[in-house]
Structures are given as structure tokens and as C-alpha cells.
Amino acid sequence: MLNELEIQLVTKYILSLNERSDRYGDELVDHVLHRVTYLNYDDGVDWDTYGAICSFRDEFEDEARMAFVERVLQGYSPQVSAKQPQAPCHILAASQFDLKAIELVFKRAQQIEHSSTTSLLHTLQGKTLACVFYEPSTRTSASFIAAMSKLGGNVIPITQGVQYSSISKGESLEDTILTLGQYADAIVLRHPEVGASALAAKVSPVPIINAGDGIGEHPTQALLDLYTIQREFGRTSNLKVAFVGDLANGRTIHSLATLLALYPENEFSLISPFLLKLDVQSTPYLQIKDKVVREIHVRSNILEAEEAILDADVIYMTRVQKERFGFLENYSKVKDSCLLTEDLVKRLKPSARILHPLPRVNEIPKAIDSDPRAAYFREVKMGLYVRMALLDLVMRPTSSWLPNL
Ligand code: NCD
């Protein structure tokens, strides 16, 4: 726990932020500041002490966190200085994130997870988020809306079907984004075309958050999946990961594999019908080429991949994405090829975890939900914290903590 001297030092440091350039060298203060900012209740402090530190931290949180973000970035992106006006920090692809950026997001998510809602309520007060969904969504849209309101901000929800917006009158994506950018401080965008978020980012005056661009990427889902893995296993490395189902169209897999490939000793098994295989060699956003241990193309039944599934730590299930098929006959051929069974789940490693970005169709029977290894609804909850962290960091940047693509 912090002693009185440490607290005084932090207070002094924070009060001197205006003239802080000559104070950056002070390692002790930096160390204490770091401890105050990121201490959490499982760091071994008792509950009362944790409460006291939280109120201390809440009081100074903004400045303390901003100072830390700046410091992290000085090593990360030296050409960017906090004093320069910044271009918006878009979140478009998983490959934008390196280990340091992920750590920053996760620490903030964890801090949020352990903070009271009232202490967070003013964080994004006065800010507005536009949620524009050209494709259906339950979790992604609801969690961004919930995240924004828990941080005290407002939402412009264009999530109930673009048929009610000017998009149905033929308005271009660029014009919609340019318009919403006049009202909102950030825009969450889901769109059926690969690259739509990158296109939006080119014209947007405010940060764009890619909430799924066709079969391309879904970086915020990948971050919450990875955060769930960190919370469930206590690590994000040295894991055997089985990706199962529609690997060709599953954008969450494309982004998650990119993130998991950053960590040492992760190995991947890619389990799908041949028609839905992940094209590891030609997919530009995957760095997992050297980490794939097996590709299994099942014909009719998940048991054809039994060995790989029983060996896995993470079984990442996905649905077959009917809406991406040109010919429904092809969908019918593969839709039931990767269904998890109760018997198979019984035989998983005791420490294994089943993840799924949801929605599920028939690939995980409901009876499996009560198995402690079924982590997919916990994953939903984690998504809220990760998205709160991302909104906070994107809408209150003191420096460009993510490099622009
Ligand atoms: C996924 C998506 O939209 O890519 N869901 C999600 O965002 N939680 C997966 C899917 O639709 O199958």
C-alpha cells in the first residue's frame, strides 16, 4: 500500500503537471504514480485501503492517467508529442495494437472493472458517440451504448436499421460520416464491406471505431476476447487455440488471431470445412503463418478434429455466417459440420475455456452453458469494460496513443 510520503509525492507531482517537463526524470514519483493509477484490489491490499486509494485516484485520475499515457507513448511513438494537435485516433484493425497498446487498454479496462459506476459517470460527460450499424447487431451496439452511458456520455443510435436514416435514400458512406462527425466526438461503424471503416476514417473529423467491416476485421471484439483470455487464464501466451467454424467469413477470428500471434508460444489449430477455411497464406492481416500447427478440414462432423479440440486451451467457436453465402445450397452443405457436443465438452481439459463472439445458432448446445468452462457470457461482460476503456482513450486522447494506419 502507499504510505503517506508516497501519497504526498504523487500529490505534489500531479499539482506540478503544468511545469512537468523538468520532472519527468523523477523515477520514484513515476513509480508511485503508476502504482496509484493501476493498483487494483487483487494487488494484495485490504479492502479499506483499496477504497481509500480509489477515492484518491478518482480525484486525480484524469491528470494521472493522461500523464501516464503520455509517458508510455514517448517510448512507443516518439515522433508524436502531446503538445501537437492530433489527428483522430481511429481503431480500424487489430494490427494497430502492439503489446504496449494492448497493455494500456487492459489496465484501463481492469481499472474500470473495479471502479464504482458513480466514480466513472463524469468521465465522458458532454461527449457524444454515434453508433452507425449497416448490419444487424445485438452485443456490439448494446455494449457501446451501455459503455458510453456508464461513462456519462450520450449516444446517437443509428442501430435499428439504416432504412430509417438517409442511407436508405442513397446517401454515401462518406457523407453520412461527414455529417455525424459534426455532432459526435466518435463514430462506431459496422458495415458489410471490407475496408469501409478505413474509408470512413479518411473523411471523418472524429475517431472511427471499426465494429466489423464485412468479412474483414472486428478489432474491438478481438480485444475483448483477448481480455477474457487474460482474465480466465491469467496469461495471453503459451496457449493452444482452436478456431472452429466459419474461419473464412469470421471477422472476429481474423482480428483475434492477429492479436494472439503477438504473444510467444501460442499455437493455432484451424478447424473448419474446406469451404470455410482460413486462407492463412494470402490473408493480409494475419501474422499467424508460423504458428499454425494444424489445419483440419472437417467433412461432416467436429469429431474429425477431436484430437486438436481435446488438446486446446481455448476453443473459439463461431457460427457459419449464412448471410455471406451467395448460394444457400453451399450454406446447407456446411452449416452443421462444426457443432460442439456435450460428450466432447465433458472430455475437454479441465482448464480449457470455450469462447464464442455470439450470436450462436446451433454450434453450442444450451446444456453446455452451465459448464464452468463455457466462458462466452463472461466474455460479453468483459466486452463492456474493454469498450469503456477504448471509448475513454479514444475520446480523451492527450496524445496519439495509437499510430494512424
Ligand atoms: C460477431 C460479428 O458481428 O462479427 N458478433 C459480434 O460482434 N459479437 C460474430 C457473428 O456475427 O457471427
Side-chain angles (χ1 to χ4, degrees):
M1 67 174 265
L2 297 174
N3 62 34
E4 213 162 293
L5 176 69
E6 288 176 322
I7 292 182
Q8 271 174 22
L9 271 171
V10 173
T11 314
K12 225 166 122 193
Y13 173 76
I14 290 166
L15 292 177
S16 73
L17 278 175
N18 287 340
E19 28 166 302
R20 60 184 179 260
S21 51
D22 55 338
R23 294 206 151 244
Y24 265 164
D26 192 333
E27 276 179 25
L28 173 63
V29 173
D30 189 36
H31 165 76
V32 176
L33 183 65
H34 186 278
R35 285 182 59 195
V36 171
T37 309
Y38 292 124
L39 189 88
N40 58 62
Y41 81 92
D42 45 13
D43 279 346
V45 292
D46 64 63
W47 191 250
D48 286 346
T49 312
Y50 178 64
I53 287 176
C54 277
S55 21
F56 173 81
R57 185 169 61 195
D58 285 346
E59 212 173 315
F60 293 106
E61 189 185 58
D62 278 8
E63 284 128 312
R65 189 181 63 80
M66 291 196 300
F68 183 71
V69 170
E70 272 180 39
R71 286 205 52 108
V72 168
L73 284 168
Q74 300 229 325
Y76 178 50
S77 184
Q79 75 276 24
V80 197
S81 129
K83 285 158 197 91
Q84 286 170 5
Q86 298 302 316
C89 289
H90 307 292
I91 299 179
L92 305 178
S95 56
Q96 276 175 268
F97 291 81
D98 67 3
L99 297 182
K100 208 174 257 182
I102 294 171
E103 193 191 339
L104 187 69
V105 174
F106 284 10
K107 280 185 171 157
R108 182 66 182 140
Q110 197 185 26
Q111 195 186 9
I112 286 170
E113 195 178 335
H114 297 302
S115 298
S116 67
T117 314
T118 32
S119 77
L120 292 167
L121 253 182
H122 304 293
T123 313
L124 291 183
Q125 203 171 35
K127 302 271 186 196
T128 302
L129 177 72
C131 287
V132 193
F133 282 65
Y134 289 70
E135 278 190 345
S137 166
T138 299
R139 273 147 295 273
T140 307
S141 57
S143 67
F144 270 114
I145 292 169
M148 193 60 187
S149 60
K150 282 179 193 290
L151 293 172
N154 304 303
V155 179
I156 301 170
I158 307 184
T159 54
Q160 297 305 319
V162 291
Q163 68 269 30
Y164 300 115
S165 75
S166 287
I167 293 158
S168 67
K169 300 181 185 168
E171 186 171 60
S172 69
L173 175 63
E174 287 96 326
D175 283 2
T176 301
I177 296 296
L178 272 169
T179 302
L180 291 169
Q182 312 306 316
Y183 312 133
D185 299 282
I187 299 170
V188 176
L189 177 67
R190 171 168 287 187
H191 195 280
E193 277 163 39
V194 176
S197 290
L199 182 67
K202 283 205 177 113
V203 298
S204 179
V206 297
I208 296 289
I209 301 176
N210 179 3
D213 59 334
I215 65 167
E217 287 232 32
H218 196 345
T220 69
Q221 177 70 38
L223 284 164
L224 79 87
D225 292 338
L226 191 70
Y227 186 70
T228 308
I229 290 172
Q230 171 65 45
R231 295 297 315 273
E232 296 285 330
F233 291 90
R235 66 181 197 277
T236 47
S237 56
N238 191 19
L239 291 164
K240 290 181 179 163
V241 183
F243 285 121
V244 185
D246 191 345
L247 313 190
N249 300 311
R251 55 195 172 196
T252 70
I253 285 182
H254 303 161
S255 295
L256 179 58
T258 303
L259 294 185
L260 279 168
L262 293 172
Y263 295 88
E265 292 174 63
N266 285 337
E267 289 178 1
F268 303 101
S269 293
L270 306 178
I271 302 166
S272 70
F274 183 79
L275 194 63
L276 302 178
K277 79 184 176 74
L278 186 65
D279 193 349
V280 178
Q281 294 312 320
S282 65
T283 310
Y285 31 71
L286 294 181
Q287 277 86 44
I288 67 167
K289 294 185 181 76
D290 305 332
K291 299 191 167 196
V292 173
V293 289
R294 31 192 167 192
E295 276 188 72
I296 303 168
H297 301 139
V298 298
R299 282 165 208 272
S300 62
N301 194 312
I302 201 169
L303 291 176
E304 294 163 42
E306 182 175 7
E307 199 190 318
I309 288 184
L310 295 181
D311 191 34
D313 299 304
V314 178
I315 297 103
Y316 192 93
M317 298 294 298
T318 57
R319 76 183 166 96
V320 176
Q321 306 221 338
K322 186 177 181 183
E323 70 275 25
R324 311 277 181 214
F325 282 76
F327 298 100
L328 281 183
E329 276 163 39
N330 284 342
Y331 170 72
S332 305
K333 276 186 207 151
V334 291
K335 71 183 176 52
D336 295 326
S337 55
C338 283
L339 311 183
L340 212 50
T341 65
E342 280 181 73
D343 172 62
L344 191 57
V345 168
K346 276 191 196 120
R347 293 184 288 127
L348 295 178
K349 287 185 195 171
S351 59
R353 291 290 183 273
I354 305 164
L355 271 72
H356 192 310
L358 302 176
R360 68 176 150 187
V361 183
N362 57 349
E363 58 281 357
I364 305 181
K366 282 196 189 336
I368 292 172
D369 296 357
S370 56
D371 189 301
R373 292 167 294 186
Y376 29 91
F377 288 109
R378 298 197 287 278
E379 193 179 345
V380 171
K381 184 80 179 177
M382 296 300 128
L384 182 64
Y385 305 129
V386 170
R387 288 186 169 128
M388 285 170 83
L390 290 171
L391 288 177
D392 184 16
L393 286 163
V394 165
M395 290 165 112
R396 291 196 307 162
T398 52
S399 52
S400 176
W401 63 284
L402 295 172
N404 290 317
L405 283 180

